[in-house]
Amino acid sequence: MGHHVVVPSPPLDVLVSRLWDWDMPPAAHHFERVLPVPGAALIINLHENETRVYSDDADRRCLRAAASVIGGPCLRSQIIDTAEQVRVMGAVFHPGGAHAFTGEDHEALVDQDIGLEDIFGHSAHRLREQLLDTPCPHARLAILQQWLLAHMRMPRLAPEVLHALNSIGAQPQLARIAPLVRDTGLSEYRFGRLFRRQVGMGPKRYARLMRFRRVVDAVYRSQAVDWSGVAIDGGYGDQAHLVHEFRAFAGMTPTAFMAARGPYPNHLPLD
């Protein structure tokens, strides 16, 4: 049992940032809030025959999907059920990586899960069956990596999109979209369509999400936070702007996020 994370070998590392395997006892809390990240994710549930997410409101409506799915990126936090998070594994794609891997329009993956079998057919079914029969987590990760390698086609991201991703990722707090569009030589409309198809969201939304992620990474382990200073350093106009963005992406204020922190920065325990 345990939590294992590996960086995939080349050339898979161009599309996938990490592979992970989670085999742990059930959590004491029922729900978790999962913060949004800029890349899509592959999830394979080896404990139950479905995956579940819940609406982020008082009703907590349950949305059920297949046991193996590709989904995201999400534009705001999601609620998951810890009862199914007992034996589960997956892959985290780099921004645009899932589009390059599947060839699917990335906007189709935003805020929803698509069954892996719907994309890859019986091969995806055989993968999960093989993983279910493999007790060793390191062997499971090796099997998943080999499956991904066997199915990757490596269509390239458009150079205009790759340039924008690199520029925004390097300094999200300073990112300005208009100069990036001018650098590409494309019209704002054509660039926006291309970016959304390959990344799943518009470039402005992507820059906002990356700014938010930079702040989360900066404050997660802090004991005391100067939010005014964090806002300025993070590229926000003022603290109120930072609070607005936290509500938009995390569904809570920055101080509520700090109070709810658990052992993993992207997963916040709920009731």
Side-chain angles (χ1 to χ4, degrees):
M1 301 184 76
H3 180 211
H4 303 273
V5 179
V6 299
V7 175
S9 303
L12 188 60
D13 62 332
V14 175
L15 303 183
V16 176
S17 65
R18 62 187 182 275
L19 307 174
W20 56 272
D21 184 282
W22 177 272
D23 187 0
M24 299 284 278
H29 50 279
H30 188 185
F31 295 107
E32 286 183 354
R33 183 187 300 275
V34 182
L35 299 183
V37 295
L42 163 64
I43 304 292
I44 303 175
N45 194 336
L46 302 177
H47 178 66
E48 297 186 12
N49 290 323
E50 65 177 12
T51 55
R52 298 188 293 276
V53 296
Y54 295 79
S55 60
D56 191 3
D57 54 31
D59 293 335
R60 295 270 170 90
R61 296 181 306 278
C62 180
L63 304 174
R64 301 176 186 272
S68 301
V69 296
I70 289 182
C74 296
L75 302 183
R76 59 170 294 125
S77 62
Q78 289 187 316
I79 308 299
I80 63 171
D81 183 347
T82 61
E84 65 165 332
Q85 303 297 312
V86 173
R87 192 176 179 216
V88 61
M89 63 184 305
V92 178
F93 289 93
H94 291 299
H99 164 78
F101 180 72
T102 66
E104 298 287 322
D105 185 333
H106 211 26
E107 284 191 280
L109 300 175
V110 173
D111 284 334
Q112 64 178 319
D113 294 329
I114 296 178
L116 198 63
E117 291 186 36
D118 293 335
I119 302 174
F120 293 101
H122 190 64
S123 174
H125 176 78
R126 290 198 305 270
L127 168 66
R128 183 169 182 267
E129 291 297 307
Q130 187 177 5
L131 293 171
L132 285 168
D133 291 337
T134 304
C136 173
H138 301 290
R140 288 196 296 267
L141 288 167
I143 289 169
L144 177 58
Q145 178 165 233
Q146 288 303 312
W147 187 88
L148 290 167
L149 280 168
H151 289 78
M152 66 185 297
R153 294 172 294 161
M154 281 296 289
R156 299 292 181 180
L157 290 177
E160 298 88 351
V161 171
L162 191 58
H163 169 70
L165 290 174
N166 290 337
S167 297
I168 295 171
Q171 292 185 303
Q173 74 277 18
L174 300 177
R176 299 294 182 268
I177 304 306
L180 286 176
V181 176
R182 286 197 297 270
D183 289 345
T184 68
L186 300 178
S187 69
E188 182 176 357
Y189 174 75
R190 286 185 61 199
F191 176 75
R193 282 192 62 187
L194 181 64
F195 195 95
R196 285 190 295 273
R197 182 175 186 274
Q198 297 195 350
V199 180
M201 66 187 82
K204 292 181 180 179
R205 182 77 181 220
Y206 180 80
R208 287 175 55 203
L209 177 55
M210 292 299 288
R211 280 197 295 271
F212 164 77
R213 293 299 324 177
R214 181 68 64 90
V215 169
V216 168
D217 293 341
V219 304
Y220 171 66
R221 299 190 184 281
S222 301
Q223 295 302 313
V225 179
D226 172 13
W227 288 112
S228 178
V230 168
I232 298 302
D233 292 343
Y236 298 98
D238 52 29
Q239 190 171 338
H241 185 196
L242 174 63
V243 172
H244 176 271
E245 292 294 88
F246 252 84
R247 288 188 184 277
F249 286 115
M252 59 176 60
T253 65
T255 51
F257 163 76
M258 296 298 284
R261 287 173 299 172
Y264 302 99
N266 285 340
H267 289 249
L268 307 178
L270 297 175
D271 54 334

